[in-house]
Amino acid sequence: MSISRTIISREEKIFNIVNILIMLLILTLTIYPFLNVLAISFNESSDTVKGGITIFPRKFTIENYKVIFTYNNLVSGFINSVLRTIVGTLTSLIACSMVAYTLGRKHYIFRKQVSLFLVITMYVSGGLIPFFLLVRDLHLMNSFLVYILPGMVGAFNIIIIRSFMENLPEELYESAYIDGANEFTVFLKIIIPLSTPVLATIALFVAVGQWNNWFDTYLFNGSDPSLTTLMFELMKVLQSTQRAGADAVRTASQQLKVSQVSPESVKMAITIVTIVPILLVYPFLQKYFVSGMTIGAVKG
Amino acid sequence: MLEKKSLKTGNIKNQSTQIVLSAMALPFLILVLVFNYIPIWGWITAFQSYRLGHSFLDQEWVGLKWFIELSKDQRFFNALINTLGMSFMQLVVNFTFPIIFAILLNELRFLPFKKIVQTVSYLPHFVSWVVVAGMVYMMTSTDGGLLNNILVLLGFEPVQFMANPDYFWFIVTISDLWKEMGWNAIIFLAAITSIDPQIYEAAKVDGAGKFRQIVHVTLPGISHVIVVLLILSIGNIISIGFEKQFLLGNSIVLERSEVIDLYALGAGINQGRFSYGTAIGMFKSLVSLILLFSANNIFKKSTDQSVF
Amino acid sequence: MKKIISLFLITILSIAFVNANGKQEVSSEGVTTVTIFSYDPIQTWNNMDDEIGKVITEKTGVKLQYEFAIGDAEQRTALIAASGIYPDLISPKSVSASMISQGALLDLTNLINEHAPNMKKMLGDQMKRLRYSADNKAIYFIPTYSVLNKVDFDTDAWFKLQLGALKESNYPAIKTLKDYEQVISDYVKKHPTTKDGLPTIGLSLLADDWRYVISVTNPSFWATGAHDDGEWFIDPETFKAKEHYFRPEAKEYFRWLNHMNDIGLLDIESFTQKYDQYLSKIASGRVVGLIDANWEIGDAINSLKAEGKYEQMYGRFPAVLEKGMKAKYNQSVGFDGGWGVAITKEAKDPVKLIKFFDYLASEEGQILINWGIEGKHWEMKDGKRVFTEEAKAARNSDMNKFAKEVGVGNYNNISLRYGDGVKDSTGNYFTTTNPENIKEGYTEEELAALDAYGVDYWGDLIPPATDFPIKKWGAAWNIPISEDSILKQHWDIEQNIVRRRITELIWGNPADFDKGYDAFLTELDKATSPMASEMTALIKNRIRLWNE
């Protein structure tokens, strides 16, 4: 007994050391792009052109950020982005988890048909124009609802949640039925609390998708400044600076200080501006899938 | 009538259960019907010569013209091969590295370190491909690029990585791994977290070491997620997107870099060839569904796991 | 759970709030809000709250509410046509055919004739060039992408050499590609590495995506006495259109690039580098020769200037393949009409809109949008129009801020306008770019070089416009094509072949060049010859339209 213990612990020790080394390597590799973008975003763009910036700015400046914040509509864009992210994520989570639950019930008779009905949508699309015309005909153009409704029920998310729920022990249901609970109560009181890791994961996917999506704004709400999102406005900033770059050269010979920043630098600053909110919110979700959930605790 | 019949054959509880379950799903299925199924009428345009802004009834019918054109297009077949090749490599890589990473990450005992590694690893996901492609080019440059500096240091000749068409698929796959590994691992991490800790305890009592715990507890514990994701991904093998190939490509590797999604973009809205673009879309859907059903059946028979 | 539900309710309420606040109504004292969609963005657009915008609204009663295409502009514009939901005004650039076939755009001919004396005055006999096509002679667009009566000064020439290298060779005349090559090879031989110890690069090309045509293939026009017609070469006698690669001279140009590669003067990364890598090489001062447009290398040049590396900045030469060829940079396409703003069927008061455009086209309007408000932004000094001291200071400290607050440049995209070098009734330039202020931008090193070449501007080295006839068909690339034309695929199909083949040819063994080039032409001909015939027909139609 005691011999086998020591063997395990030696094996574990080696494993842990190797593991930490591998993780450090991954850490270095994956933090580089972010640090590089961060460094360039704080570097003078006339210096950035020369290349060779790695993880520290060579000539520090906040000019690149200043340029972004001279644009209109950023505040309302931010509010709309936050709103669509919160509403979109909550509604989508409710929808997906409810559908997933029904599909996860082994005795549900339409289980297979509904799964198929959903999964097909992942591979079949009528194309942009029919979708665009549909949204127009539903009078969802220039409305907030276009951020919420079309993407609310995601087949992929449903299938993932379902496969987690299916994996929960069957006894959970049995004991609940004996207590006289109906399906909805089981769903709400037992399955949802046990599914937090997958729900947190899907929430993250949906929230990031909502936060980063500028395409639906561009398609449907671009002409209404009260509905545009942050990501859309930042795309506008980027496009404008790129355009200005071309203009700047035309007037460069007049020795005017047209613009102190290049589109490249603005692009980096925009990247940081969009990542930071995600980074700030992330830890709240992370705790649900980094530290283990104990089914035993709930069961017992 | 129906109610009475089931009252006789089944039990009441089961029937009401069916109703509750259906009621929970139905409102959302209607949304899917509206937003995902109605637009499929657009497929009709694949048999027309569609002109913008005119009703689809008011279009010229051309039969299978676009499909015939497609079947004769050498460039399309080249793009198809590139798509399948890169997709397959990506599939293999995306189902090994993120899983291994998630497992190893889960084994870290020091929680703050674990959280930091996990957070950092998914950061590149948010850096756009334009920026990442730029970094890849910088690193592989023969003009002071990091990789070539290392090669020279080790006594090798510098290599023009981006100028060799044979390397291109590997470069895309590795770049994708770099950018997406941490992000792709999140779902596996969540799956691992859902494994009942008691099973580990039991395995430990049986004297299982780290490695055996991983093979006998962790992997089986997340196999359902792996299989489901794998089936869904196999169905998606033909839809690879085009951004990374486009941005990492150059005129030398053009023959290996063009994928269907890029080809379709060129053929679609931007050239006013909507009908041709739709025909490509239909072809893709068809291939996807065939792959999906095949994968689903194979896994159903061999592992008893499936999507539907 | 309770927390989640309350959060949900809050957000629902806030949506209702946002939506209620969203709809804005503007209609005070005869001011009409006019919606406009534009393919291209205006960087400093300020919702007409800039000083110039306020004056325009006051004079015309029009306030524009802009939407710009973001991302894929072609797609966004096509979707407007697909949906049939139009703003009052639209600037759709190349995506106009389906809008016209739907009848979404108004014919402006009568509106201009009846309500736009200033536009008519500005256009003169060029008005017939506004007509859409030989089959459809309506006027749909007020051209905003081409300007009237532009006088060229200091035109950019593609072949660029570092001033330091020129100086070392005692400023030799750069007439042919041989002269150009000589300076590079002499310099690289003498200085294999730069002061920083990095290898000197002889000639670097840029082949990143669409920039391929700017730096790799278009120069074959300039170096062989032809004028840029997109990918086309139009025979000036027969008006037959063919891709310019079919010209024997073009083949010789690419043979020269192959030769440059063969003797090791061409940067081996020319076909793999990305735009930012290319710029960083130039900014490091290591590249002796470039074949590129100034507007493409501006960021790098600004960096060289900021670092004081004046000798690593470039002189620009109209080098040609053989003596006797004349570089046609300055050849005039005339006023080519083409892309611009259209009034759609949605517009409630087209007359008011045409009057709005007419105001912008008046002398008062032109001076206003270029210079700002008299007394505030500009004044007359000894009969010359100059910026006020205040405006000058504001321009110099931050041009963007100035443009945004004052609105200078914001109305170019929607106005018919005069080109640089045109003078108004007081004998002053309409635009703010003119020969005097260009000269102020030259560095001492540049002036020394210019002096050695005996000219005032780099552009003076280029044969003047008067040496060439005006192109009868304008520019081939902005002839409107119908929505189902095979020409819509031309760019995609042709570029796929060109970029593959030309790259191979330049990289390849000189001994295989002829064979490879023939194979390239065969492939190109097979893929695109019906398109060339269609292009020829379009060119002929346009010449007919413009000359009847």
Side-chain angles (χ1 to χ4, degrees):
Chain A
M1 189 67 193
S2 70
I3 294 170
S4 82
R5 268 267 158 84
T6 47
I7 290 171
I8 290 173
S9 69
R10 188 183 302 152
E11 187 199 285
E12 270 203 47
K13 241 182 215 156
I14 296 170
F15 175 88
N16 284 339
I17 290 169
V18 173
N19 194 9
I20 288 172
L21 288 178
I22 293 174
M23 289 300 147
L24 282 174
L25 179 72
I26 291 174
L27 194 68
T28 326
L29 284 175
T30 52
I31 204 169
Y32 177 78
F34 179 73
L35 290 182
N36 184 240
V37 169
L38 192 67
I40 294 176
S41 76
F42 280 110
N43 198 55
E44 271 180 28
S45 68
S46 65
D47 180 71
T48 303
V49 175
K50 292 192 295 179
I53 305 279
T54 51
I55 59 171
F56 295 108
R58 233 177 355 226
K59 288 184 175 168
F60 185 85
T61 179
I62 54 164
E63 244 1 270
N64 304 321
Y65 289 90
K66 267 192 178 161
V67 165
I68 299 176
F69 292 108
T70 60
Y71 281 80
N72 307 325
N73 303 337
L74 287 185
V75 175
S76 68
F78 179 78
I79 294 171
N80 283 331
S81 281
V82 170
L83 270 182
R84 72 171 289 177
T85 304
I86 295 173
V87 180
T89 308
L90 283 178
T91 51
S92 185
L93 266 190
I94 293 168
C96 292
S97 57
M98 277 169 80
V99 178
Y101 174 80
T102 64
L103 299 183
R105 301 303 297 123
K106 295 197 170 66
H107 58 263
Y108 182 48
I109 47 173
F110 300 121
R111 188 166 179 263
K112 194 181 146 127
Q113 288 82 346
V114 173
S115 298
L116 198 58
F117 176 78
L118 287 170
V119 172
I120 285 177
T121 64
M122 288 177 63
Y123 306 98
V124 168
S125 132
L128 191 57
I129 291 174
F131 180 65
F132 190 83
L133 298 182
L134 175 75
V135 171
R136 177 198 67 181
D137 295 340
L138 294 172
H139 300 287
L140 289 176
M141 278 181 98
N142 294 319
S143 84
F144 187 83
L145 281 178
V146 82
Y147 296 144
I148 309 300
L149 289 181
M152 192 161 123
V153 192
F156 177 82
N157 297 340
I158 291 173
I159 300 298
I160 297 299
I161 299 174
R162 185 198 76 181
S163 95
F164 272 78
M165 289 180 173
E166 274 178 345
N167 214 42
L168 294 170
E170 192 65 23
E171 311 99 70
L172 285 174
Y173 299 94
E174 304 297 332
S175 51
Y177 292 144
I178 291 165
D179 294 346
N182 73 10
E183 290 288 341
F184 192 72
T185 342
V186 176
F187 165 72
L188 212 59
K189 294 269 159 65
I190 298 175
I191 303 303
I192 289 288
L194 282 176
S195 306
T196 37
V198 69
L199 292 179
T201 310
I202 299 300
L204 177 69
F205 289 171
V206 177
V208 166
Q210 285 281 0
W211 179 254
N212 280 339
N213 194 347
W214 56 273
F215 196 67
D216 49 15
T217 317
Y218 147 94
L219 288 178
F220 305 115
N221 289 347
S223 59
D224 189 345
S226 68
L227 286 169
T228 57
T229 55
L230 180 65
M231 223 46 64
F232 176 80
E233 294 298 338
L234 290 175
M235 285 292 293
K236 243 159 97 176
V237 173
L238 188 61
Q239 198 117 342
S240 295
T241 42
Q242 263 156 0
R243 170 78 187 200
D247 289 344
V249 182
R250 241 172 280 141
T251 38
S253 44
Q254 298 179 50
Q255 272 208 322
L256 291 172
K257 246 167 119 188
V258 174
S259 141
Q260 302 90 331
V261 300
S262 70
E264 293 308 307
S265 300
V266 174
K267 195 191 297 164
M268 301 299 176
I270 286 176
T271 306
I272 298 298
V273 169
T274 57
I275 295 181
V276 165
I278 300 172
L279 270 182
L280 291 179
V281 175
Y282 189 63
F284 296 102
L285 286 171
Q286 195 187 29
K287 65 175 180 226
Y288 292 109
F289 51 80
V290 166
S291 41
M293 264 293 302
T294 42
I295 293 175
V298 182
K299 256 198 312 196
Chain B
M1 270 325 277
L2 200 91
E3 261 176 46
K4 271 202 176 140
K5 204 178 162 194
S6 29
L7 267 175
K8 272 181 203 158
T9 50
N11 59 52
I12 300 171
K13 178 158 197 300
N14 194 31
Q15 165 136 28
S16 70
T17 304
Q18 296 295 341
I19 292 171
V20 172
L21 286 173
S22 294
M24 282 172 77
L26 198 64
F28 305 116
L29 297 183
I30 291 172
L31 273 182
V32 174
L33 186 74
V34 171
F35 287 106
N36 296 86
Y37 279 91
I38 290 180
I40 296 177
W41 67 259
W43 279 9
I44 294 171
T45 60
F47 306 99
Q48 299 176 323
S49 192
Y50 184 77
R51 294 184 311 144
L52 282 178
H54 299 264
S55 134
F56 79 98
L57 293 169
D58 184 26
Q59 309 277 355
E60 183 195 344
W61 293 87
V62 296
L64 292 176
K65 180 182 168 194
W66 304 118
F67 293 93
I68 294 166
E69 196 169 307
L70 195 62
S71 70
K72 285 185 190 153
D73 192 341
Q74 198 51 48
R75 206 172 140 199
F76 172 73
F77 279 100
N78 184 48
L80 183 62
I81 291 167
N82 289 336
T83 306
L84 295 178
M86 276 183 262
S87 248
F88 180 74
M89 287 171 71
Q90 213 168 292
L91 197 68
V92 172
V93 167
N94 280 349
F95 276 88
T96 43
F97 288 88
I99 293 173
I100 295 172
F101 173 62
I103 290 171
L104 292 181
L105 189 67
N106 187 57
E107 295 298 337
L108 284 180
R109 286 290 151 257
F110 185 47
L111 202 62
F113 183 59
K114 189 173 174 179
K115 282 191 170 173
I116 288 171
V117 175
Q118 209 258 322
T119 308
V120 165
S121 73
Y122 84 85
L123 275 182
H125 173 77
F126 298 103
V127 180
S128 69
W129 267 112
V130 187
V131 176
V132 172
M135 289 177 192
V136 171
Y137 265 88
M138 289 288 178
M139 283 182 200
T140 54
S141 166
T142 44
D143 188 64
L146 182 72
L147 274 181
N148 274 310
N149 283 352
I150 294 174
L151 283 182
V152 171
L153 218 75
L154 298 173
F156 294 98
E157 284 288 304
V159 179
Q160 275 206 285
F161 291 98
M162 305 313 275
N164 190 334
D166 293 338
Y167 295 167
F168 186 71
W169 292 3
F170 292 94
I171 288 168
V172 169
T173 309
I174 293 167
S175 309
D176 189 67
L177 180 68
W178 181 34
K179 184 161 152 29
E180 305 295 344
M181 185 180 76
W183 183 252
N184 289 334
I186 290 177
I187 208 162
F188 299 115
L189 204 59
I192 294 171
T193 324
S194 307
I195 297 173
D196 194 338
Q198 289 172 358
I199 309 178
Y200 284 104
E201 292 306 321
K204 269 186 208 156
V205 172
D206 290 347
K210 266 274 139 27
F211 187 71
R212 281 180 56 201
Q213 283 178 34
I214 288 170
V215 173
H216 294 291
V217 181
T218 314
L219 277 177
I222 61 172
S223 69
H224 62 290
V225 176
I226 296 177
V227 169
V228 164
L229 279 176
L230 197 57
I231 295 171
L232 294 180
S233 304
I234 288 172
N236 240 338
I237 209 165
I238 197 166
S239 305
I240 192 177
F242 61 85
E243 223 188 343
K244 49 183 177 267
Q245 296 85 355
F246 175 69
L247 291 164
L248 285 166
N250 58 55
S251 54
I252 300 173
V253 299
L254 202 57
E255 208 131 355
R256 296 288 173 83
S257 67
E258 189 170 59
V259 288
I260 289 188
D261 287 339
L262 182 64
Y263 176 81
L265 187 77
I269 230 165
N270 292 359
Q271 288 177 16
R273 303 175 75 208
F274 313 101
S275 295
Y276 192 54
T278 310
I280 297 174
M282 279 180 74
F283 172 81
K284 276 181 56 188
S285 294
L286 195 71
V287 172
S288 283
L289 291 178
I290 292 172
L291 288 168
L292 176 75
F293 279 91
S294 315
N296 193 60
N297 282 347
I298 291 169
F299 277 100
K300 203 176 206 167
K301 286 204 181 103
S302 59
T303 67
D304 207 32
Q305 304 261 17
S306 67
V307 175
F308 49 83
Chain C
M1 203 62 206
K2 252 187 198 153
K3 230 159 86 192
I4 292 178
I5 290 171
S6 57
L7 198 57
F8 185 68
L9 283 176
I10 289 170
T11 46
I12 295 289
L13 285 175
S14 15
I15 297 170
F17 172 73
V18 167
N19 274 349
N21 264 9
K23 307 284 163 273
Q24 51 195 48
E25 284 297 326
V26 187
S27 180
S28 56
E29 303 137 38
V31 173
T32 319
T33 299
V34 175
T35 52
I36 173 167
F37 174 87
S38 165
Y39 187 105
D40 282 321
I42 301 170
Q43 191 215 356
T44 49
W45 184 251
N46 203 1
N47 302 323
M48 287 189 84
D49 290 333
D50 45 75
E51 297 180 57
I52 293 175
K54 283 178 187 155
V55 175
I56 294 175
T57 304
E58 188 189 308
K59 298 261 180 189
T60 62
V62 168
K63 188 163 168 135
L64 298 176
Q65 190 188 330
Y66 247 108
E67 181 184 358
F68 307 109
I70 303 296
D72 188 342
E74 195 121 350
Q75 184 187 61
R76 182 71 190 90
T77 316
L79 282 170
I80 291 184
S83 72
I85 300 178
Y86 287 90
D88 301 327
L89 300 171
I90 191 162
S91 176
K93 232 169 162 178
S94 55
V95 196
S96 59
S98 51
M99 298 183 181
I100 289 168
S101 83
Q102 285 170 39
L105 310 183
L106 300 187
D107 181 357
L108 308 179
T109 316
N110 291 333
L111 284 169
I112 294 176
N113 278 329
E114 285 163 27
H115 304 286
N118 290 309
M119 282 170 74
K120 283 186 76 169
K121 185 177 157 218
M122 192 193 248
L123 287 163
D125 61 350
Q126 305 286 343
M127 187 148 153
K128 63 183 173 193
R129 295 197 166 193
L130 265 55
R131 294 174 305 169
Y132 188 66
S133 72
D135 308 324
N136 178 359
K137 291 179 181 157
I139 293 174
Y140 295 110
F141 298 104
I142 297 163
T144 55
Y145 285 89
S146 43
V147 293
L148 279 135
N149 310 336
K150 182 177 158 216
V151 181
D152 287 301
F153 37 82
D154 208 17
T155 308
D156 181 26
W158 256 236
F159 292 84
K160 302 194 160 61
L161 286 168
Q162 282 187 336
L163 296 171
L166 287 168
K167 193 175 172 188
E168 277 192 29
S169 305
N170 287 319
Y171 302 112
I174 309 293
K175 302 256 186 234
T176 64
L177 295 180
K178 276 280 154 247
D179 303 333
Y180 177 79
E181 177 186 333
Q182 197 61 46
V183 173
I184 297 177
S185 80
D186 287 351
Y187 188 84
V188 173
K189 231 173 261 161
K190 233 164 124 191
H191 309 274
T193 56
T194 62
K195 278 180 207 141
D196 315 328
L198 294 163
T200 305
I201 296 165
L203 169 65
S204 196
L205 300 180
L206 178 59
D208 187 2
D209 193 26
W210 59 271
R211 299 179 195 274
Y212 199 98
V213 298
I214 309 297
S215 170
V216 182
T217 58
N218 275 357
S220 79
F221 281 118
W222 306 128
T224 60
H227 191 264
D228 180 2
D229 254 312
E231 286 300 280
W232 300 102
F233 174 74
I234 316 289
D235 186 312
E237 305 296 324
T238 64
F239 307 123
K240 265 190 83 137
K242 202 77 186 145
E243 283 87 357
H244 66 94
Y245 307 96
F246 285 94
R247 298 171 65 231
E249 297 92 336
K251 178 177 172 183
E252 293 315 306
Y253 177 76
F254 294 114
R255 192 197 298 281
W256 175 72
L257 283 181
N258 169 268
H259 156 77
M260 290 297 277
N261 179 58
D262 190 48
I263 58 175
L265 287 183
L266 187 67
D267 183 359
I268 57 162
E269 288 197 317
S270 285
F271 292 98
T272 52
Q273 62 192 342
K274 291 277 154 192
Y275 186 41
D276 51 345
Q277 289 173 290
Y278 173 74
L279 288 184
S280 79
K281 279 180 192 167
I282 300 171
S284 69
R286 298 157 56 197
V287 189
V288 187
L290 294 172
I291 305 176
D292 208 343
N294 243 1
W295 52 261
E296 192 149 84
I297 56 174
D299 282 341
I301 301 300
N302 288 343
S303 167
L304 285 171
K305 215 173 194 173
E307 300 272 309
K309 292 183 172 172
Y310 302 120
E311 294 213 329
Q312 277 77 34
M313 288 168 65
Y314 295 85
R316 339 194 274 256
F317 301 91
V320 286
L321 190 64
E322 284 163 22
K323 275 207 173 76
M325 287 177 170
K326 269 183 159 184
K328 289 189 177 169
Y329 295 94
N330 277 334
Q331 187 177 27
S332 171
V333 297
F335 178 66
D336 60 8
W339 299 335
V341 189
I343 302 179
T344 73
K345 59 177 191 234
E346 298 296 324
K348 282 175 202 74
D349 190 354
V351 173
K352 189 168 188 177
L353 292 177
I354 206 78
K355 285 184 171 161
F356 164 77
F357 289 117
D358 193 54
Y359 173 74
L360 293 177
S362 68
E363 181 158 326
E364 182 188 330
Q366 289 287 298
I367 294 168
L368 178 69
I369 65 174
N370 278 303
W371 290 84
I373 298 161
E374 181 169 13
K376 195 160 184 187
H377 307 116
W378 59 272
E379 59 199 352
M380 287 301 219
K381 254 188 193 160
D382 312 323
K384 271 189 80 179
R385 181 179 300 117
V386 289
F387 281 113
T388 56
E389 288 306 318
E390 207 177 289
K392 222 184 253 167
R395 266 162 66 91
N396 282 333
S397 78
D398 191 339
M399 183 66 184
N400 271 338
K401 200 169 150 223
F402 180 77
K404 192 163 183 172
E405 284 169 4
V406 179
V408 170
N410 282 356
Y411 302 92
N412 288 353
N413 269 13
I414 54 164
S415 169
L416 194 64
R417 60 193 201 280
Y418 287 114
D420 294 338
V422 181
K423 291 179 177 173
D424 64 11
S425 60
T426 64
N428 283 292
Y429 295 111
F430 274 113
T431 71
T432 54
T433 307
N434 52 56
E436 286 92 54
N437 56 27
I438 279 187
K439 198 142 196 194
E440 287 165 20
Y442 285 153
T443 63
E444 281 192 20
E445 283 72 7
E446 272 182 299
L447 290 173
L450 287 167
D451 197 42
Y453 287 108
V455 290
D456 288 332
Y457 303 98
W458 289 111
D460 292 352
L461 294 167
I462 303 173
T466 48
D467 284 12
F468 312 105
I470 293 177
K471 279 165 79 177
K472 288 199 176 106
W473 57 89
W477 45 263
N478 81 357
I479 299 179
I481 50 180
S482 65
E483 48 185 326
D484 47 3
S485 164
I486 44 172
L487 279 171
K488 285 208 154 187
Q489 305 168 47
H490 182 259
W491 169 260
D492 187 52
I493 291 177
E494 189 240 25
Q495 284 296 303
N496 186 268
I497 298 170
V498 167
R499 290 188 204 169
R500 235 174 341 109
R501 290 290 193 161
I502 292 288
T503 308
E504 268 169 31
L505 284 166
I506 296 173
W507 261 41
N509 186 335
D512 303 332
F513 185 85
D514 282 298
K515 223 175 93 199
Y517 205 89
D518 290 347
F520 161 52
L521 291 186
T522 313
E523 188 181 350
L524 190 59
D525 191 53
K526 205 177 136 210
T528 66
S529 68
M531 302 178 197
S533 317
E534 192 160 331
M535 193 70 212
T536 307
L538 284 178
I539 297 280
K540 286 183 174 162
N541 268 340
R542 178 175 254 194
I543 291 169
R544 221 166 3 109
L545 178 71
W546 281 8
N547 290 290
E548 60 187 16

